Amino acid sequence: HVVSEGEYLSTLALAASQQALARAQIAATELDLIILATSSPDYQLPGGSTLLQAQLEAPRAAAFDLRAGCSGFLYGLATASQFIHSGMYRHVLVVGAEIVSMVLDWSDRRTCCLFGDGAGAVVLQASDAPGGILTFALGADGTQYDALTVPAGGCRHPLSHETLDRGLQYLQMNGRQMLKFALR
């Protein structure tokens, strides 16, 4: 899927969230926490989670963005689970949403055919019944950071005429390095 004109991360996240709330049969006003896993929010500031909180009309829910790339949704689930297991919150909305098409160089066939836009959401709820999320095995390898990157837009390479002229605003992937990493 590639977003159309007028669709934003908040549009995708809102639709996924509304579906998750309907399936869980709870109102947004019952949410205690909203975790939005994304690397492509509508704005640098404010975070996408606070926009989603306002759109859902969930004023009592805490909200934060979680930025962990492809594994962001899994990190969001683990985080939500811990908030619930601790007893701090009873209803947590976890949303994973990305709009990658905005950082694709559509002439680069190595990347443009692999990435798209989308969102998914789930509501985790506290329960006395057995089951639920029992454990996680999370990990990371920061030494491979340069295998998949969008160099411009952060503080190391702020957007400028120079970075735009060099195409640093586009997703860059070392396919061979990514394949080795994925297979390992």
Side-chain angles (χ1 to χ4, degrees):
H1 176 74
V2 175
V3 293
S4 303
E5 187 175 328
E7 277 187 297
Y8 305 101
L9 187 93
S10 57
T11 311
L12 299 180
L14 178 62
S17 298
Q18 289 169 331
Q19 287 179 356
L21 288 165
R23 285 190 182 122
Q25 298 179 339
I26 71 163
T29 55
E30 296 179 66
L31 291 173
D32 299 307
L33 176 63
I34 298 168
I35 300 172
L36 175 60
T38 188
S39 296
S40 54
D42 289 4
Y43 306 102
Q44 286 286 30
L45 287 172
S49 61
T50 56
L51 293 177
L52 181 58
Q53 179 220 38
Q55 291 172 328
L56 287 171
E57 298 179 10
R60 71 180 197 88
F64 66 87
D65 289 16
L66 189 151
R67 188 170 174 175
C70 298
S71 57
F73 188 77
L74 295 176
Y75 276 85
L77 283 176
T79 303
S81 175
Q82 296 307 305
F83 273 114
I84 290 172
H85 282 294
S86 74
M88 186 167 187
Y89 295 130
R90 294 197 51 80
H91 301 95
V92 181
L93 174 67
V94 180
V95 183
E98 294 293 352
I99 294 185
V100 182
S101 62
M102 70 178 186
V103 294
L104 291 177
D105 175 355
W106 290 96
S107 67
D108 180 2
R109 299 301 299 167
R110 296 171 302 151
T111 58
C112 71
C113 59
L114 297 176
F115 298 93
D117 307 327
V122 66
V123 176
L124 276 66
Q125 300 180 66
S127 173
D128 294 328
I133 299 173
L134 302 177
T135 187
F136 289 93
L138 301 174
D141 183 356
T143 64
Q144 302 293 315
Y145 80 93
D146 60 345
L148 186 66
T149 183
V150 178
C155 65
R156 186 171 289 201
H157 300 288
L159 285 178
S160 66
H161 291 292
E162 179 188 350
T163 58
L164 295 175
D165 289 344
R166 292 176 49 202
L168 298 180
Q169 74 276 21
Y170 295 124
L171 181 130
Q172 297 177 6
M173 180 177 73
N174 180 326
R176 189 165 285 160
Q177 186 179 352
M178 282 298 296
L179 179 62
K180 285 180 185 177
F181 177 74
L183 291 175
R184 188 182 75 238

